[in-house]
Amino acid sequence: MFLFRRNGPRVTVDEARARTRGDQPDAVLLDVREKPEWVAGHAPGAGHVPLTKLLAGGTLPAGAEGRPLVVICRSGHRSQQAVKLLTERGAQAVDVEGGMNAWAAAGHPVVGERGNSGRPA
């Protein structure tokens, strides 16, 4: 399956965007950065749950339960931790190489909390 590669569960930002956009996306984009980072700018349509909440036993946002997850953070470190935790819980999850920094650098859209143009923090 596309989401799981032999060299580890990672995807590029282009692969992440392709998997999580459209009317019926194959996966849910899950942002695990902290709230101030999320508010500053995130990918449109992404779900949000900070890694700290996941580590404390928090649940996934509505619409993400039971779906394949593409997990993103600022640079890729926290998303790798989240993927490990989520797969241990039985989820199908991959992390995005380079995180929101790479997402924005690739020219993919970033919106603020109110849907206006944002910036990754």
Side-chain angles (χ1 to χ4, degrees), residues 65-77:
E65 284 288 338
R67 304 244 353 252
L69 304 170
V70 176
V71 185
I72 196 164
C73 65
R74 181 175 41 218
S75 64
H77 180 72

Side-chain angles (χ1 to χ4, degrees), residues 33-42 48 50 78 113 119-121:
R33 296 174 301 152
E34 294 301 316
K35 178 136 181 147
E37 296 170 295
W38 167 262
V39 169
H42 55 272
H48 178 239
R78 286 175 284 181
E113 185 175 42
R119 60 173 175 68

Side-chain angles (χ1 to χ4, degrees), residues 31-105:
D31 192 319
V32 296
R33 296 174 301 152
E34 294 301 316
K35 178 136 181 147
E37 296 170 295
W38 167 262
V39 169
H42 55 272
H48 178 239
V49 60
L51 176 60
T52 54
K53 288 191 178 182
L54 282 176
L55 290 169
T59 60
L60 294 172
E65 284 288 338
R67 304 244 353 252
L69 304 170
V70 176
V71 185
I72 196 164
C73 65
R74 181 175 41 218
S75 64
H77 180 72
R78 286 175 284 181
S79 57
Q80 288 179 353
Q81 292 177 31
V83 164
K84 183 176 186 305
L85 175 70
L86 291 165
T87 56
E88 287 171 356
R89 292 183 184 174
Q92 289 183 332
V94 295
D95 106 275
V96 180
E97 291 180 86
M100 284 301 297
N101 289 338
W103 180 277

Side-chain angles (χ1 to χ4, degrees), residues 11-18 21 72 74 96-110 120:
V11 295
T12 67
V13 293
D14 292 334
E15 292 168 327
R17 187 162 188 239
R21 66 185 259 203
I72 196 164
R74 181 175 41 218
V96 180
E97 291 180 86
M100 284 301 297
N101 289 338
W103 180 277
H108 298 316
V110 178

